[in-house]
Amino acid sequence: METLIRPYLEPIADWFSNFGTPEPIVHWGHPLMMGIVVFVMGSFAAWAGWQGRLATDSGVAVENRKNHRKIAPWLFLFISLGYTGGVLSLVMQGQPIFASAHFWTGTLAVGLLGFNGFISATKFGGNKAALRTTHAYLGSFALLILLVHAFLGLKLGLSI
């Protein structure tokens, strides 16, 4: 599979390599930026989402749901862009793409967040409680996967 995909990615990676970006930034830029996205935006999106579900004051619940709706799409966008950047970083460093658990947890997280966004975009299937609950737990699970992903990424970064 990698032999099919890598030839498409190498010209893009070569284009980025022409910027003369120092090796430590190529190596550690993805983890630093994604760490900020996951730990800051991800934790806020999860916190606001759960506060929107659990708050007993309706005004607080509405405000938190609004905050969750504002940040969650940006979180998905940055996670998706970061995923792409991480794959390109591997190509730029001459590393295999599909060989690490870090790649697969990232793929799983993007898929889960994308599916979760789809659930939300359908307005929870007409405001069905079961889909709202699925959305909440699926989003939390995706964030947990991203924490495992961060650990695996640190391990990968230290190994290459």
Side-chain angles (χ1 to χ4, degrees), residues 23-89:
E23 192 280 332
I25 294 175
V26 171
H27 192 86
W28 293 109
H30 167 77
L32 176 65
M33 294 298 113
M34 293 314 298
I36 292 168
V37 169
V38 169
F39 290 105
V40 176
M41 292 180 78
S43 61
F44 180 77
W47 179 82
W50 278 103
Q51 289 302 306
R53 285 182 64 83
L54 301 175
T56 55
D57 181 318
S58 65
V60 171
V62 167
E63 184 66 27
N64 279 299
R65 283 188 199 120
K66 185 167 47 167
N67 287 336
H68 179 75
R69 278 192 305 271
K70 284 181 191 175
I71 199 164
W74 289 105
L75 173 66
F76 178 68
L77 175 67
F78 290 143
I79 293 285
S80 298
L81 291 172
Y83 175 87
T84 305
V87 170
L88 287 174
S89 176

Side-chain angles (χ1 to χ4, degrees), residues 69-136:
R69 278 192 305 271
K70 284 181 191 175
I71 199 164
W74 289 105
L75 173 66
F76 178 68
L77 175 67
F78 290 143
I79 293 285
S80 298
L81 291 172
Y83 175 87
T84 305
V87 170
L88 287 174
S89 176
L90 287 174
V91 174
M92 289 170 73
Q93 295 175 77
Q95 298 296 316
I97 299 170
F98 303 120
S100 72
H102 180 71
F103 171 82
W104 293 109
T105 55
T107 301
L108 177 61
V110 169
L112 290 172
L113 291 171
F115 183 67
N116 221 22
F118 175 76
I119 290 171
S120 176
T122 67
K123 300 197 185 304
F124 307 100
N127 204 21
K128 293 181 180 165
L131 283 178
R132 285 190 170 278
T133 300
T134 300
H135 176 81

Side-chain angles (χ1 to χ4, degrees), residues 9 31 81 94 98 143 145 150 158:
L9 297 175
L81 291 172
F98 303 120
L143 193 57
I145 293 296
L158 292 171

Side-chain angles (χ1 to χ4, degrees), residues 6-30:
R6 195 171 194 95
Y8 293 104
L9 297 175
E10 283 178 345
I12 300 166
D14 290 344
W15 183 75
F16 281 109
S17 293
N18 288 331
F19 291 163
T21 306
E23 192 280 332
I25 294 175
V26 171
H27 192 86
W28 293 109
H30 167 77

